[in-house]
Amino acid sequence: MKKVIIFGSIVVLIFVALIVVSNLNQAQKAAGNPFGKDRLHPATIELIDDPNYQNVILPEELEKKLADEEAVTVYFYSSDCPYCKEATPRLVPLAEENGINLVQYNLKEFEEGWDQYNLDSTPTIIHFENGAEAGRIVSAVPDEEFQQFFDEYVLSE
């Protein structure tokens, strides 16, 4: 019976050690992240170094821009969304080619954005003018549709 208790204790200690190491590893990866959070969703950690996900906007920054009635084009995405992962490598270079500052709002990290901006799915791009929504495009549409959106709402200013 003593051997079973000792063996069981060792197994429990190993599991506890694995959990501690895993938590430390995640905290280390999340350190200095652009989201200003201590803990990030694992899907977000995967995208931290991806060059297509570097133009992050925090909720407070977006709210300030809207309150100041600045024109801003926001890409609402979720770091675990397969449609976003398909669209982003097409969308970000297209925005850059057009000279558009496409800021990126991660809904996986800031879930309040779903309700605050009346979002149903990702990816969603919204262009704001004078603090109000001027146009929206939803889904991983073909590049031509992204370009039409930019031409109509962003570049026509």
Side-chain angles (χ1 to χ4, degrees), residues 31 53 55 72 77 97 106 118 131:
Y53 291 92
N55 201 15
V72 61
Y77 74 98
E97 288 171 19
N106 187 337
N118 195 27

Side-chain angles (χ1 to χ4, degrees), residues 46-78:
E46 288 178 24
L47 299 177
I48 289 282
D49 295 325
D50 187 321
N52 288 316
Y53 291 92
Q54 299 303 308
N55 201 15
V56 172
I57 191 163
L58 301 177
E60 314 77 60
E61 294 172 317
L62 179 54
E63 289 172 22
K64 182 174 181 343
K65 286 183 179 291
L66 296 177
D68 292 344
E69 297 187 354
E70 292 181 35
V72 61
T73 307
V74 185
Y75 175 43
F76 293 95
Y77 74 98
S78 181

Side-chain angles (χ1 to χ4, degrees), residues 18-152:
L18 287 174
I19 291 169
V20 168
V21 169
S22 176
N23 285 342
L24 287 173
N25 190 24
Q26 185 183 25
Q28 189 176 36
K29 287 180 181 177
N33 69 74
F35 301 99
K37 297 175 80 175
D38 293 335
R39 296 186 58 82
L40 297 174
H41 189 277
T44 299
I45 291 173
E46 288 178 24
L47 299 177
I48 289 282
D49 295 325
D50 187 321
N52 288 316
Y53 291 92
Q54 299 303 308
N55 201 15
V56 172
I57 191 163
L58 301 177
E60 314 77 60
E61 294 172 317
L62 179 54
E63 289 172 22
K64 182 174 181 343
K65 286 183 179 291
L66 296 177
D68 292 344
E69 297 187 354
E70 292 181 35
V72 61
T73 307
V74 185
Y75 175 43
F76 293 95
Y77 74 98
S78 181
S79 51
D80 62 352
C81 166
Y83 301 106
C84 299
K85 289 180 181 180
E86 185 274 319
T88 303
R90 296 183 294 112
L91 179 60
V92 169
L94 186 63
E96 289 173 358
E97 288 171 19
N98 282 279
I100 296 168
N101 181 22
L102 183 67
V103 295
Q104 300 166 328
Y105 188 112
N106 187 337
L107 293 162
K108 183 53 86 177
E109 297 302 329
F110 304 106
E111 293 185 0
E112 65 272 16
W114 287 103
D115 292 331
Q116 190 169 0
Y117 300 103
N118 195 27
L119 302 169
D120 294 322
S121 63
T122 55
T124 297
I125 303 170
I126 301 177
H127 180 69
F128 295 94
E129 287 285 334
N130 301 316
E133 181 175 329
R136 167 186 302 229
I137 188 167
V138 179
S139 188
V141 298
D143 292 357
E144 296 77 26
E145 290 184 44
F146 284 136
Q147 185 64 55
Q148 286 175 331
F149 176 83
F150 291 153
D151 290 343
E152 184 174 348

